[in-house]
Amino acid sequence: MTTFDEREQGFERKFALDQELEFKAAARRNRLLGEWAAGLMGLATADEYARAVVKSDFEQPGDEDVFRKVFEDLKGSGVSISEGEVRMKMAELLAQAREQIKSGE
C-alpha cells in the first residue's frame, strides 16, 4: 500500500468518525432542547417529550423539522417566544452537546 493510499484511508476514517460524532451531538442537542421546551411548557413528562423531539429529527433532513416541532409546541401551549430565541437555544445546546461528547459525558 502506498503512502497516498494510507493517507486516503486515514481521511476516510476521520470523515466517518466526524460524521458519527456530529450525529450524536445533534441527537443530544435535540434531547436537551426537548427537556428545555418541556420545562417552559410545564410538562410533567419532560423525558417523553424529549424523546418525541429526537424522533422528529428523522422526518426530514436538516434541523427545520426539530425547530418546527418545538416552536409550534411552545406557541400552542401559550409560551411567548420568538423564532430567533428558539434558534439561538438550538445553537447553544448544539455547542454544549459537542463539548459533552468530546469530554466523554
Side-chain angles (χ1 to χ4, degrees), residues 1 3 21 25 45 47 55 58-59 70 73-74 76-78 91 94:
M1 182 174 288
T3 303
L21 292 175
T45 56
D47 190 53
K55 285 182 185 178
F58 298 110
E59 292 173 9
V70 171
D73 289 350
L74 286 168
S77 68
L94 182 58

Side-chain angles (χ1 to χ4, degrees), residues 47-60:
D47 190 53
E48 186 178 314
Y49 182 74
R51 278 191 294 242
V53 172
V54 171
K55 285 182 185 178
S56 74
D57 193 22
F58 298 110
E59 292 173 9
Q60 297 174 353

